[in-house]
Amino acid sequence: MDLPQPKPRHFSLRFISGKYQGGEYPVVPNHELIVGRSNDIDIVLIEDMVSRRHARILLQDDSLIIEDLGSTNGTFVNGEKVRRARLKEGDKVLIGTSIIRVALEESASEVTVASAKLKLQDSATMRRTHNNQVRTMAGSLSEISLVDLLQLFSTSRKSGILVVRRDEDAGRIHLRRGVIVHATLNESAEIPSLKTMYRLLTWQHGTFELDPPDDREFSDALDRPTEVILMEGMRQMDELERLSVSMPSLTAHLSIPSPLTPPLSELSANELDILQLAFNHGHVEAVMDRSQCSDLEASEILIKLLSAGYLRKS
């Protein structure tokens, strides 16, 4: 008995942001795909940051290759500016305001250049129909993580206010030539900018959009390189995930036992501050927001205070 043969898999370019957001361009074998601002090419991106013939993508010996064609503003793969690179599944390409994710998928039928163009144009038309005001750079955090997005913006030196939304929350990250200078959550001045930045990096779902920049000066402006912020943010994410099994929920109520048996003299200054916040405000979320410690340090302290009997939850 003959076993069914697996369907062939083909590369596809999925647009995470930009004019064709949500659209897809199946890569056609034996065809050199040109991306740029000119009207007579395959993928037309009419914007200032895109050159007339910006980059080309082609399939060579089952390898997908991208090559910058001497563009003014460059072609970026996974946050790195490239002249020529081999693309693999999951890679993210930035050209102008378009972020493109490389995908591999089963192909049910032959794809032609004409049908690929038509499929992409249909996605752009549908997007214009459903959105009265289409933002040039907007997308979903489920398609690209905030860390990857900020790495792309850092390398390409983009300026603007990156607005990220999740449920009822909204964060704003101010970028100047790719450098993170300030961050706020729900426009609150209570949470320090760096702490806000680390908290936003933990968001795994939601939406993003890039608004025009402003020239405001911030009293708590960040002075660390973007790469340093992202690396420390990823470290804190890993540690918070490890602590999550011991950490009470944000809605949990905290109280100080009476009488208090363990001695206060054994607590550090930060631990005493967290204890005072728990006494004043009573809920985990209020303690986390008002503490000057990072969420990681505040979580470590709360877990210690609970396990040592300085606090109890209800």
Side-chain angles (χ1 to χ4, degrees):
M1 179 179 177
D2 293 334
L3 295 175
Q5 295 297 313
K7 292 182 179 179
R9 301 184 75 199
H10 298 285
F11 285 105
S12 183
L13 306 177
R14 295 181 181 173
F15 283 74
I16 297 173
S17 75
K19 172 183 176 181
Y20 301 111
Q21 181 194 335
E24 189 173 315
Y25 192 106
V27 177
V28 179
N30 305 314
H31 174 71
E32 184 179 84
L33 190 161
I34 305 296
V35 183
R37 196 154 40 90
S38 178
N39 288 321
D40 57 351
I41 57 177
D42 300 282
I43 298 179
V44 180
L45 302 174
I46 302 177
E47 53 180 281
D48 292 341
M49 294 187 68
V50 176
S51 298
R52 288 182 59 79
R53 291 172 62 85
H54 195 105
R56 67 172 178 170
I57 300 171
L58 63 155
L59 206 55
Q60 284 185 343
D61 301 324
D62 295 326
S63 293
L64 191 63
I65 306 296
I66 187 166
E67 182 179 353
D68 185 84
L69 298 176
S71 67
T72 302
N73 292 293
T75 300
F76 301 85
V77 177
N78 299 329
E80 181 181 351
K81 191 173 185 178
V82 301
R83 294 184 64 183
R84 181 181 172 91
R86 181 177 178 272
L87 299 175
K88 61 183 184 301
E89 185 177 15
D91 281 349
K92 297 174 182 68
V93 178
L94 175 67
I95 296 175
T97 62
S98 292
I99 301 172
I100 306 165
R101 181 163 58 85
V102 179
L104 270 173
E105 59 180 25
E106 292 181 354
S107 180
S109 59
E110 279 294 319
V111 177
T112 65
V113 174
S115 64
K117 285 184 178 181
L118 184 61
K119 185 174 183 179
L120 197 60
Q121 288 296 338
D122 285 346
S123 69
T125 302
M126 186 177 297
R127 187 166 180 240
R128 285 195 300 270
T129 301
H130 287 86
N131 299 275
N132 292 327
Q133 291 183 329
V134 175
R135 295 185 179 272
T136 56
M137 181 160 269
S140 170
L141 294 178
S142 62
E143 291 277 2
I144 181 169
S145 71
L146 191 52
V147 170
D148 286 346
L149 192 60
L150 288 167
Q151 283 177 334
L152 284 173
F153 288 173
S154 174
T155 313
S156 57
R157 301 170 67 82
K158 287 198 179 298
S159 297
I161 304 171
L162 181 62
V163 182
V164 289
R165 303 183 191 278
R166 185 186 68 172
D167 302 325
E168 301 300 317
D169 294 320
R172 286 171 171 79
I173 303 169
H174 294 255
L175 298 164
R176 289 177 188 160
R177 297 183 67 79
V179 176
I180 301 169
V181 296
H182 194 256
T184 58
L185 179 59
N186 297 327
E187 299 184 347
S188 170
E190 237 174 25
I191 309 174
S193 186
L194 186 59
K195 177 175 177 172
T196 298
M197 193 63 243
Y198 291 148
R199 185 178 293 187
L200 292 176
L201 290 175
T202 66
W203 289 13
Q204 296 181 359
H205 70 273
T207 62
F208 70 85
E209 56 193 44
L210 189 65
D211 285 348
D214 66 30
D215 297 324
R216 276 185 293 167
E217 295 298 326
F218 300 101
S219 59
D220 59 341
L222 300 178
D223 58 359
R224 305 183 184 188
T226 296
E227 293 76 13
V228 172
I229 293 174
L230 297 182
M231 288 187 66
E232 174 60 17
M234 288 188 286
R235 185 192 73 81
Q236 291 196 20
M237 279 192 285
D238 290 340
E239 290 298 307
L240 285 168
E241 179 65 24
R242 181 180 62 81
L243 294 175
S244 61
V245 294
S246 305
M247 184 67 182
S249 71
L250 292 176
T251 57
H253 184 267
L254 300 170
S255 61
I256 298 177
S258 181
L260 182 63
T261 305
L264 294 176
S265 59
E266 294 186 359
L267 297 180
S268 68
N270 283 341
E271 290 166 349
L272 286 169
D273 287 343
I274 295 285
L275 189 65
Q276 185 67 53
L277 287 170
F279 176 76
N280 291 344
H281 302 286
H283 284 89
V284 172
E285 185 173 23
V287 172
M288 299 295 285
D289 285 349
R290 287 171 171 78
S291 170
Q292 293 300 299
C293 299
S294 69
D295 284 346
L296 174 59
E297 188 177 0
S299 297
E300 291 172 334
I301 292 173
L302 276 175
I303 291 169
K304 174 183 175 178
L305 295 178
L306 286 164
S307 63
Y310 290 94
L311 288 174
R312 62 187 175 194
K313 63 178 180 177
S314 57

